[in-house]
Amino acid sequence: MAGSLLIDTDALIAVGNTDCWEAVFHEVGLTTTYVVKGELERHIKEGKNSPEGSPDWYRYNGSRRAIEGVDSGSISLINTVPKPHGKDAGEESLRTQVAQEGDRYDAVFLMDREGRECIRKTADSNGYDVKIPSPAFPLYIAYDNGLLSKKEFCEVNQEIIENEGWTGYRAVKVMWEGIPVDCSAYVEPDYLP
Amino acid sequence: MSEDTVQFRSKPIKEVFESLKEVRIGGLNESEVGREAVERLIPEILSDREKIELYEMYEGNEISEDAVRIALGDDFDEMERMIEDTSEMAEKDTSRYLSE
């Protein structure tokens, strides 16, 4: 049986700001927590009137599309106990979930490096084999199942790297490596590993 | 093996070492302190471009894993694991992850 795919607020927002968000949020089965949903709703409320292109708007735009995925039933929600609060509550709720029910999950998607390390440690110390792949993987699932063309998949990855302001070698590597698609025909060399 | 010595002790660093000898119980192994300091600082002072090049040299078997691990610091292990995880996930039949 396939395990679920867990995704955090930032990874939802990153996908939500690409042109291919519908292929992921309507077609790929993702799981997140009610705490993450709460964060998305807060971003929507806080960013609603912000100027287009600003960081608040970016969070608003990605969040409202992710909520659409929740409403369509493609993104399912789970409850976590205890319910964390504060700045990293969303991420913490994923960590709690991995600690308590890690065997339910095949993979977790996070944009933030510290978050990835933290969840990895939690999975390891609880003896769960939970993968932490590239944040591009949900898009790869869409591509691999014919929902995105190769060109779309490649361009959308570049879009995420640009949107996130990822310029470091590590970020670019982390985004692409291990994904068995040659994007060199569609992506500028600066954005490839 | 050649006996290359890197001279990194400026006058104030020498002074620190001299004073530390007095302070530290059990004496001071200057080489050990120097080695530790250099190893820790290398990932901080290398530019991204240099790191990419070193990583590529590692991929091309031009430098050892130990060397690239020092150059990249904690990034190295995180990156390696993430690449491994992504490859393993990509080998699966991903249609199982589509929503019903």
Side-chain angles (χ1 to χ4, degrees), chain A residues 106 113 131-132 144 169, chain B residues 52 75 85 88 94 97 99:
Chain A
D106 279 359
R113 184 206 150 144
K131 308 284 182 214
I132 311 208
D144 201 32
Y169 75 101
Chain B
I52 297 177
D75 284 357
D85 281 6
E88 278 182 40
T94 60
Y97 297 123
S99 52

Side-chain angles (χ1 to χ4, degrees), chain B residues 62-79:
Chain B
E62 290 168 59
I63 60 170
S64 68
E65 188 180 318
D66 287 344
V68 77
R69 184 170 270 130
I70 287 180
L72 271 62
D74 292 342
D75 284 357
F76 180 77
D77 289 318
E78 204 244 338
M79 239 165 64

Side-chain angles (χ1 to χ4, degrees), chain A residues 2-3 26-27 29 74 106 113 116 120 124 131-134 137 144-145 168-170 173-174 177-178, chain B residues 48 51-52 55 59 72 74-75 78-79 81-83 85-90 94-99:
Chain A
H26 290 175
E27 307 290 344
S74 186
D106 279 359
R113 184 206 150 144
R116 285 200 298 262
R120 206 186 274 295
D124 286 352
K131 308 284 182 214
I132 311 208
S134 158
F137 201 79
D144 201 32
N145 289 282
Y169 75 101
R170 204 182 51 80
K173 274 246 178 256
V174 150
E177 291 268 350
Chain B
D48 276 352
K51 284 182 183 175
I52 297 177
Y55 191 84
E59 286 180 314
L72 271 62
D74 292 342
D75 284 357
E78 204 244 338
M79 239 165 64
R81 260 198 85 176
M82 196 152 177
I83 293 167
D85 281 6
T86 307
S87 308
E88 278 182 40
M89 286 294 290
T94 60
S95 67
R96 69 174 84 181
Y97 297 123
L98 296 179
S99 52

